[in-house]
Amino acid sequence: MVDFTWRIGGPQGAGIETAGELFARSLARAGYWAALRREYHSNIMGRHSYLDVRVGDRPRPGFYERVDLLAALDGETLVRHLGEVRSGGTVIYDPAVLDRRLDQLPMLDAPARRRAQARLGKGARVGDALRALAEAGAETVGLAVAELLRGADPRARNTLFLAASLRRLGLPLEALQEALAERFGGNARRLEENLRLAEAVYAALSGPEAGLSLRPSPGPRLWLSGSVASAIGKVAAGLGFMSYYPITPATDEPFYLEAHPESGVRVVQVEDELAAVNMAIGAAAAGVPAALTTSGPGFSLMAEALSFAGMTETPLVVSLYQRGGPSTGLPTREEQADLLFALFAGHGEFPRAVLASATVEGMAEDAALAMALAWRFQLPVIHLADKNLAQTAKTVWPIPLSALPEAAPKRAREAEGAFPRYRLGAADGVSPFLPVGSPGAHYWITSDEHDEYGHITEDPELRVAMMEKRLQKTRALKAYLPPERTFRLFRPEAEAIVVGWGSVYEAAVAALDAVPGVGYLHLFFLDPFPEIAPYLEGKRVATLEQNATGLLARLLPVAPETRVTKFNGRPITIEETVAAFEAVAAGGAPARVVLTAGV
Amino acid sequence: MKAKDYRSDLAPDWCPGCGNYGIVAALARAFAELDLPPERAVLVSGIGCSAKTVHYLNSYGLHTLHGRGLPVAQGIKLARPELTVIALAGDGDGMGIGAGHFVGAGRRNLDLLYLLFNNQVYGMTKGQAAPTLEFGARPKGLARPNPQGPVNPLWLAFASGYTFIARGFAFDTPGLARLIAEGIRHPGLAFIDVLQPCPTYNDLHTRAWFAERIYDLQAEGYDPAAADAAAFAARASEWGERIPVGVFWRRERPGLEDVLGPPAEGRPLDRAERLLAGHRLAP
């Protein structure tokens, strides 16, 4: 069995991401499965960043807090992560950094420095952190960085640690060579230098007795991040227009589509989120499926437009990539705190749908379904995701795009002259759709209450009829969605059930294996809210989510006895989820449990 | 089609003497002059008295949100470039809550027309000062003289990159209709500042007050295509005893539509498969 976690750390700008991608791709080429996630500051250069890759002989859910192999490009990494390498694990380091005192590391901020000094002593040096790692059972491997880099571009430091890591894992050099050739194929000088450095490192270090062997490829696979999966899902569903304002972590999706004009999507970066959401509404009214992406602060600016889309029955899809809040919060960190906001933003009463992605690969189908529902029912759909899903990348099986749903409205058969865009009488509350600009006809779209043609009305009876028509769509949507698409229940017979949503999914599924005493109910849809009361009846209930107050509890038909929460901006880990599940299974867990893994 | 064929069945509920009547008439007249099929025209308004205009014409009309008409209009234009899209805004829509979008649109220079219904007050909400009202003025709806100064829409349009900048008068229907037709024909973002007196709340800048002051730029030989920035500035700043109407600025330059390329053709599924293929892992 192969299942290990590698972590590489260093300052932003040192090529951590490139090294991480190459690490994952080298292992994928060798027939393994890999999942990569990264942590970084809201900054451009110099502050600490790190990246985990979990590797296996088959795909496994979730990430661990503690790693098997830590590659530390600098001293700060050794200090920050000194508690996170497993006994029996390995640390690769540059001996030149050991001398520095902790207070001489300019980017090691006060809280982190004080915690380390509390453990290592006030005048501690980086070398003391290394010693602590060794005392905890890690093998330490020094890399002669200065010597190896002589005559080479100093930025190739990351290549040394990449190669050293793969050497210590015992991966044959050819897998790395192929990955480097794929990455730097267009630049002969850079490729030559990287290959030379890789070879030098492999010669300088020894490998394990039994290392990773090359395995036959399991079959055709993809390397995908959640953002890209979501983008492609939307394209498959018929996306033709995306307007956006850049905001972390939502920008990857429009950036990807802009960089790939073969997607056929017209992508426009606009002056603010108010413009972005209203432009998307205009495009959709004209018959072109439109969507946008944003995060909490941007979604706050879209509240009036949600109400507008709801009132005018214009299909709109917003992928809301949550991040640490409130306000500017933690722009590059993980959180799931916008649940209630997504459900209730926008004044007045109007139907919407809210679904939340659980996995990277699921983002494609979720995004396509969001588009399909928006167009089938002519309403705003909010697709919840988060930083973790956006920026985690994995080896996955090819996504069957032809099976994805499409954005297709109930079309008007024909129209001439004034067209009743909001015709009453349909059982599902959905009027036949005619795009603005269709030949031979005309109608009005009004944010005021309106009659069937879209003219303003204040008539009390017509108002009631129109409101009921719109609200009927919620009932129709509920009847339309198969229950198995809206939630999934593992181990229903357990006497304690943990309920979760969003990207806690994989950690929860992994924890189930280790804790037989709990079941797990995962919600994919939050509006319409699935009928889960029968499955929670008579059970002890807990919630699991990454926010401070346990927002989900307010939506459940039964009050949970425990809310398992995490809100330190770091993603949930398998170890802490297992511990939480064990506490729930044992009974008597406090009303709120706060998870704190991560640095 | 004749101008009256473009009018819808709905009777306007504006106050008697409102400048908006003239604007609706000018739009219908311009459509007739251009022989524009009604289904090709899309009028997009914000919120306010001005916004009701779309209901009085038989074309596609969107009565949207305060300040957001211009983004909606651009979304429609980007989805269906062949449509004739006209954005309408009151002076609050355009120069207050929508000022950011006013500027943003200029940067894109999409081929659409933007009419500002400029009467220096907020009619629908009972007469507050609009962003175009001068400092110290006190039309009847204000509790105290205006404590803030005006923004000049022509200057703002110029600074933002609008390529056709004009001013019209709501009570000169033929003149305004000509400007509207020119603005529609102009290949790029066209702006018309329409002096649109509010008889109910602005007792200072009335129809008569304007009639005494306005003069036609073109009648005085001003060429908007030849005028340089200084000449534009001099005319655009003129307000008081003489108020110019007509075309102040006309240029052509590439915009967003030129670089975006045509909207997608072919099957979405094929495009998605092509994208996905780019993420295949070797071998």
Side-chain angles (χ1 to χ4, degrees):
Chain A
M1 183 193 76
V2 175
D3 182 7
F4 67 87
T5 301
W6 173 75
R7 173 171 298 167
I8 183 165
Q12 288 163 302
I16 304 287
E17 282 182 41
T18 306
E21 279 262 335
L22 284 164
F23 183 89
R25 284 177 184 276
S26 303
L27 284 153
R29 278 176 168 278
Y32 294 94
W33 295 81
L36 176 159
R37 76 174 177 193
R38 53 200 177 92
E39 285 299 318
Y40 55 103
H41 279 78
S42 180
N43 192 46
I44 301 305
M45 284 219 150
R47 303 208 62 180
H48 183 61
S49 63
Y50 65 95
L51 187 156
D52 288 2
V53 184
R54 184 181 180 191
V55 181
D57 50 347
R58 58 180 174 83
R60 292 187 180 85
F63 282 87
Y64 286 104
E65 175 188 6
R66 294 166 69 73
V67 307
D68 301 282
L69 175 48
L70 175 67
L73 262 65
D74 62 1
E76 189 175 337
T77 301
L78 293 170
V79 175
R80 286 185 181 271
H81 297 275
L82 65 81
E84 293 182 326
V85 179
R86 291 208 178 101
S87 177
T90 306
V91 177
I92 302 173
Y93 68 98
D94 174 3
V97 310
L98 298 180
D99 216 24
R100 300 267 287 275
R101 281 201 328 267
L102 263 48
D103 54 32
Q104 288 172 322
L105 300 174
M107 293 292 113
L108 184 67
D109 54 327
R113 188 186 68 243
R114 281 192 223 111
R115 276 196 296 271
Q117 284 172 335
R119 196 157 149 185
L120 303 172
K122 200 116 195 83
R125 296 173 188 273
V126 174
D128 297 308
L130 186 68
R131 199 170 6 257
L133 283 158
E135 276 160 15
E139 182 192 355
T140 61
V141 175
L143 193 58
V145 173
E147 200 185 300
L148 287 161
L149 271 184
R150 203 166 296 140
D153 188 335
R155 288 172 302 173
R157 187 183 181 89
N158 59 343
T159 303
L160 298 179
F161 283 87
L162 164 66
S165 303
L166 291 172
R167 176 62 164 143
R168 295 294 306 180
L169 289 166
L171 189 74
L173 179 58
E174 59 200 87
L176 173 57
Q177 287 170 330
E178 282 173 19
L180 286 169
E182 181 186 44
R183 180 79 163 82
F184 298 115
N187 186 335
R189 190 202 58 77
R190 241 181 127 181
L191 174 59
E192 182 275 323
E193 179 168 83
N194 275 286
L195 287 170
R196 182 174 60 75
L197 290 171
E199 228 178 280
V201 168
Y202 265 64
L205 295 181
S206 60
E209 278 173 20
L212 291 178
S213 51
L214 299 175
R215 297 162 60 91
S217 168
R221 293 174 304 168
L222 310 168
W223 177 252
L224 274 189
S225 69
S227 302
V228 171
S230 180
I232 295 179
K234 291 189 175 83
V235 172
L239 180 73
F241 183 84
M242 180 174 282
S243 37
Y244 75 101
Y245 192 80
I247 183 169
T248 308
T251 313
D252 296 348
E253 215 189 292
F255 184 80
Y256 174 78
L257 291 171
E258 250 179 332
H260 291 87
E262 68 271 26
S263 68
V265 180
R266 307 196 109 197
V267 184
V268 183
Q269 180 200 315
V270 297
E271 60 271 21
D272 55 34
E273 284 87 349
L274 302 162
V277 67
N278 284 289
M279 262 198 216
I281 290 173
V288 173
L292 54 159
T293 69
T294 191
S295 191
F299 192 67
S300 291
L301 298 182
M302 297 182 185
E304 65 167 6
L306 290 174
S307 189
F308 181 41
M311 176 55 122
T312 59
E313 306 194 52
T314 307
L316 175 68
V317 170
V318 181
S319 286
L320 171 49
Y321 287 92
Q322 300 164 96
R323 71 192 211 178
S327 196
T328 310
L330 297 164
T332 61
R333 308 289 183 180
E334 172 69 359
E335 196 160 83
Q336 297 174 254
D338 297 333
L339 174 60
L340 299 184
F341 193 32
L343 288 171
F344 300 118
H347 59 285
E349 302 164 293
F350 55 92
R352 75 184 75 194
V354 180
L355 66 158
S357 284
T359 62
V360 162
E361 57 272 31
M363 295 275 279
E365 203 259 334
D366 294 332
L369 181 58
M371 303 282 300
L373 293 176
W375 282 81
R376 172 69 184 77
F377 295 96
Q378 298 173 25
L379 40 61
V381 179
I382 296 145
H383 165 218
L384 282 165
D386 54 32
K387 177 250 165 164
N388 198 32
L389 289 172
Q391 300 184 339
T392 294
K394 289 163 116 179
T395 49
V396 297
W397 291 122
I399 295 171
L401 296 177
S402 57
L404 296 187
E406 288 174 12
K410 179 198 289 189
R411 282 208 178 274
R413 262 190 295 274
E414 57 183 25
E416 215 192 300
F419 174 75
R421 170 69 184 88
Y422 302 102
R423 165 171 273 153
L424 293 163
D428 58 3
V430 180
S431 314
F433 179 82
L434 188 75
V436 160
S438 297
H442 58 269
Y443 62 83
W444 296 271
I445 289 176
T446 308
S447 55
D448 287 76
E449 188 57 273
H450 43 263
D451 63 20
E452 290 183 304
Y453 294 87
H455 284 314
I456 299 173
T457 188
E458 296 185 27
D459 181 82
E461 286 180 20
L462 190 46
R463 154 45 163 214
V464 167
M466 277 296 167
M467 180 62 85
E468 296 284 50
K469 167 212 190 298
R470 290 188 294 264
L471 295 176
Q472 180 59 25
K473 295 196 285 185
T474 298
R475 285 174 224 117
L477 183 52
K478 200 154 191 167
Y480 179 82
L481 291 168
E484 58 271 20
R485 184 59 185 84
T486 67
F487 73 98
R488 186 172 302 155
L489 178 53
F490 299 83
R491 209 177 283 150
E493 68 280 7
E495 70 149 34
I497 305 279
V498 178
V499 188
W501 64 281
S503 67
V504 297
Y505 181 83
E506 288 202 350
V509 166
L512 275 179
D513 271 349
V515 186
V518 297
Y520 177 64
L521 193 158
H522 188 89
L523 296 163
F524 295 113
F525 268 82
L526 288 311
D527 187 353
F529 198 82
E531 302 280 3
I532 59 173
Y535 303 97
L536 300 180
E537 209 172 292
K539 308 283 190 186
R540 291 189 298 112
V541 176
T543 56
L544 175 70
E545 45 180 342
Q546 296 173 117
N547 55 62
T549 58
L551 298 170
L552 182 60
R554 284 185 241 202
L555 303 174
L556 293 183
V558 339
E561 62 180 38
T562 297
R563 306 179 195 202
V564 181
T565 64
K566 183 162 193 184
F567 52 99
N568 65 355
R570 305 309 186 267
I572 201 163
T573 70
I574 295 171
E575 294 99 322
E576 63 190 346
T577 308
V578 169
F581 277 21
E582 279 167 349
V584 170
R592 191 175 79 151
V593 168
V594 179
L595 306 180
T596 56
V599 304
Chain B
M1 284 177 66
K2 299 207 182 47
K4 64 177 171 58
D5 298 328
Y6 290 94
R7 304 292 295 260
S8 77
D9 292 335
L10 229 50
D13 55 9
W14 292 314
C15 306
C18 176
N20 289 349
Y21 288 99
I23 299 178
V24 172
L27 280 163
R29 200 162 152 150
F31 289 173
E33 185 197 304
L34 294 166
D35 207 15
L36 187 60
E39 70 258 23
R40 287 276 304 247
V42 185
L43 275 75
V44 186
S45 62
I47 297 292
C49 299
S50 64
K52 296 189 180 186
T53 305
V54 306
H55 294 282
Y56 307 134
L57 290 158
N58 270 349
S59 55
Y60 288 96
L62 288 91
H63 184 170
T64 69
L65 297 176
H66 200 35
R68 315 292 171 222
L70 201 40
V72 175
Q74 291 172 86
I76 294 171
K77 187 69 183 178
L78 285 163
R80 299 279 307 280
E82 74 278 13
L83 296 173
T84 297
V85 180
I86 302 172
L88 316 171
D91 38 34
D93 267 334
M95 295 290 113
I97 186 171
H101 305 312
F102 185 84
V103 173
R107 297 169 52 220
R108 272 160 231 133
N109 196 29
L110 292 178
D111 183 11
L112 51 89
L113 170 63
Y114 183 61
L115 298 185
L116 185 75
F117 292 39
N118 184 0
N119 56 21
Q120 297 111 329
V121 291
Y122 286 176
M124 186 68 101
T125 47
K126 310 245 186 346
Q128 295 79 24
T132 46
L133 182 67
E134 61 254 35
F135 179 79
R138 197 181 160 209
K140 65 207 273 197
L142 266 62
R144 304 176 306 131
N146 189 17
Q148 302 183 89
V151 59
N152 183 320
L154 303 178
W155 273 91
L156 191 59
F158 185 79
S160 307
Y162 286 68
T163 49
F164 176 99
I165 302 173
R167 180 187 282 136
F169 183 45
F171 290 104
D172 173 17
T173 302
L176 183 56
R178 263 196 312 277
L179 288 173
I180 289 170
E182 265 191 75
I184 289 173
R185 274 194 225 103
H186 173 77
L189 186 56
F191 171 64
I192 306 178
D193 176 23
V194 184
L195 304 172
Q196 174 258 324
C198 172
T200 305
Y201 290 111
N202 193 337
D203 50 346
L204 305 176
H205 311 99
T206 61
R207 177 180 186 167
W209 187 91
F210 278 115
E212 279 169 19
R213 288 159 170 79
I214 60 180
Y215 73 93
D216 186 273
L217 278 172
Q218 273 69 63
E220 293 201 353
Y222 177 94
D223 181 355
D228 63 5
F232 168 84
R235 301 289 183 157
S237 309
E238 227 184 328
W239 185 272
E241 287 315 301
R242 296 219 316 153
I243 295 175
V245 296
V247 186
F248 290 70
W249 184 258
R250 188 207 315 260
R251 293 293 192 273
E252 286 183 29
R253 66 170 175 84
L256 179 62
E257 186 64 46
D258 301 295
V259 300
L260 265 186
E265 281 180 4
R267 295 197 318 158
L269 192 58
D270 294 336
R271 294 197 292 273
E273 294 282 12
R274 225 177 358 257
L275 289 175
L276 204 63
H279 299 276
R280 269 194 221 124
L281 278 169

